[in-house]
Amino acid sequence: MNNTRNIKRFWLVMGTVVAALALYFFFMNNRFVDIETPLSSAEIVHADTSKAIYTKGGSGVQIRFDEAVLNEAETSRVVDWLNEAPASAKTAVDRIEGSIHMGIALRLKHNNQLMIQYNGKQIYVTKIGRFSKISRYALHHQALESYLDQELEGTYYGGDLAKEEQEET
């Protein structure tokens, strides 16, 4: 009789623990994937950038990628820009158009990630949550776009990629 009671208690505790863990993972995963959820600088574990540098050389164009780590002030500024953007500045998209000239990767706690990618015309924000759940949107934010354009100055044959592309169209 006592042994049966212990078995029932064991399964009751195990069921409670499994249910609690399932709820935890569900809420934590959805919290980081929702495009309306504000981001906190305290959630960021690592922030880095990568930009494509186009140069003429030999028989054609050479592309190399410069990578750098964002300092705390730059990271905070990027987070502020993302958080201040209203819902009307965000448009859900399925894929990214064009080639990416610069990206900012924010690695967050709990194996989540936020990537900001810029193709010279449009900013794309991709949030990757737990279990690889993804949400992506195009962002219209003038201050962030100006920052990205400034960072890309001189990377397109020593000139401005955005101006070169506008002249071609």
Side-chain angles (χ1 to χ4, degrees):
M1 180 84 162
N2 197 17
N3 194 20
T4 304
R5 184 179 291 157
N6 288 339
I7 292 173
K8 286 181 182 179
R9 252 189 233 157
F10 171 78
W11 285 112
L12 178 64
V13 169
M14 289 302 293
T16 304
V17 168
V18 167
L21 285 173
L23 287 172
Y24 170 78
F25 286 120
F26 175 76
F27 286 117
M28 289 305 290
N29 183 45
N30 289 336
R31 178 173 175 239
F32 291 111
V33 176
D34 181 16
I35 65 173
E36 296 305 317
T37 302
L39 185 62
S40 167
S41 293
E43 296 173 76
I44 298 173
V45 176
H46 184 75
D48 56 1
T49 66
S50 178
K51 58 184 162 184
I53 310 293
Y54 295 82
T55 55
K56 292 178 185 174
S59 61
V61 177
Q62 294 179 348
I63 303 173
R64 72 172 166 49
F65 296 92
D66 278 356
E67 297 181 5
V69 176
L70 287 178
N71 64 37
E72 194 172 313
E74 290 171 319
T75 303
S76 180
R77 191 169 29 160
V78 169
V79 168
D80 289 344
W81 285 328
L82 290 174
N83 287 338
E84 74 185 20
S88 61
K90 301 172 185 176
T91 306
V93 295
D94 292 327
R95 59 190 170 96
I96 296 173
E97 300 290 333
S99 61
I100 301 303
H101 303 299
M102 182 170 177
I104 300 173
L106 304 176
R107 287 168 188 45
L108 310 173
K109 293 179 180 177
H110 309 292
N111 293 327
N112 295 299
Q113 185 173 347
L114 186 136
M115 293 182 299
I116 301 165
Q117 297 165 303
Y118 184 57
N119 65 8
K121 296 177 185 175
Q122 183 65 58
I123 300 169
Y124 295 96
V125 178
T126 304
K127 291 185 176 184
I128 303 172
R130 195 168 277 136
F131 311 116
S132 299
K133 189 171 181 181
I134 296 174
S135 67
R136 181 176 293 125
Y137 59 91
L139 176 65
H140 302 282
H141 193 285
Q142 189 59 45
L144 180 55
E145 187 173 336
S146 295
Y147 169 76
L148 295 170
D149 283 336
Q150 180 182 352
E151 289 293 313
L152 286 171
E153 281 182 13
T155 62
Y156 190 69
Y157 306 119
D160 185 357
L161 178 64
K163 289 179 185 174
E164 295 286 335
E165 287 182 348
Q166 288 174 357
E167 290 173 2
E168 290 175 7
T169 57

